[in-house]
Amino acid sequence: MALLGKQIARGSVAGQRVVSRPAQVAGRVSRSARLSTVCKLHKICVLPGDGIGPEIMTVAKKALSLAGQKEGEEFQYTDCLIGGAAIDATGKPLPDETLATAKASDAVLLAAIGGYKWDTLPSAQRPERGLLAIRAGLNAFANLRPAIVPRQLADSSPLKRELVEGVDILIVRELVGGIYFGQPRGFGTNDKGERIGYNTDVYSEPEVERIARVAFEAARKRGKRLCSVEKSNVLEVSQLWKEVVIRVGKDYPDVELSHMYIDNAAMQLLRNPKYFDVIVTGNIFGDILSDEASMLAGSLGLLPSASISGAGPGIYEPVHGSAPDIAGQDKANPLAMVLSAAMMCRYDLAIPKVAERLEKAVDAVLDAGLRTGDIYKQGTPNTKLVKCSEMGEALFAHI
């Protein structure tokens, strides 16, 4: 199972150049007896975040380092604060130091943010604001979320095996526009004196065009099918979206373009998920659909994501949240975090052999029947319930 095998490489995104930064000599030979070459150094901004974040990040960093050693690559990690942890330490969900470090890095590895502890804060001060701010600060406008059902876990899906086995979808979500960033926004009162909250869903033609090109390029290197999801029967912003996507599509005659309203798309993801190859959609619709699609595999704990701009460092994070209810209990599933590190190696760092080692290790532990609680199904033959740390040790052994 090459979980990311059908995804596009960073260099193919919207015609952008391959990001292959000059190799920096680490100044020493790796300690690994199997390596005789000097390692290349990759600077990674690490954001463990909140909840289970530090636990899964610990596994991912060690797995990444081990895989790198085998392939003559070295990683320099700089841990920074974001989200609730940053609020507790600095009063801000995204400290200036964190954003500066991220911009100076080759890539950003993010675990999870948020938790019950900070839910009562004003909206502008909550952990999620840190996530939105770093995406905007790095101009990471394209969110790539694969929804793949591993063959070992097809029976763990809430849907029937025949519906989900072989599903391989890539959702391309616009990430720095739309209703999450549109202005004006806030609270006020209407002409009746009633309190209201309001947000603005707005996209410009250039914003739609650049995300559409990312999606068309992705589809061109996969199954050559792209479905654009919007709500153009109701929303003017969606009418503009559809017009621009159709126009961009003329540059990609080899890609079959279809259109679907968001409500129908949500239904078809459950009714006939194999219909989809690549989906392109706006910020809020992409947020909803990607979480829904991730459950085709039975758990949010299996799927990685990449947020990229085509230039500069990207942000790599698992789709799942911080799971504060199990934080610190060694119950978390680290596989999505490890696969996010694999995506980082492919898209930003241009070291696919390291990515392959990580992906094969994930494949091996699933083949061995190891399951954390989120993917464990009691009574399934040849499976074993393991802790986060135990899953990590198994991964390290296979790497």
Side-chain angles (χ1 to χ4, degrees), residues 143-156:
N143 183 222
L144 310 180
R145 289 194 174 188
I148 300 169
V149 180
R151 56 178 170 75
Q152 302 97 328
L153 299 176
D155 288 326
S156 299

Side-chain angles (χ1 to χ4, degrees), residues 152 155 366-369 371 376-384:
Q152 302 97 328
D155 288 326
L366 292 177
D367 275 342
R371 307 285 188 267
Y376 179 70
K377 189 175 181 180
Q378 192 168 10
T380 302
N382 303 315
T383 61
K384 178 184 178 183

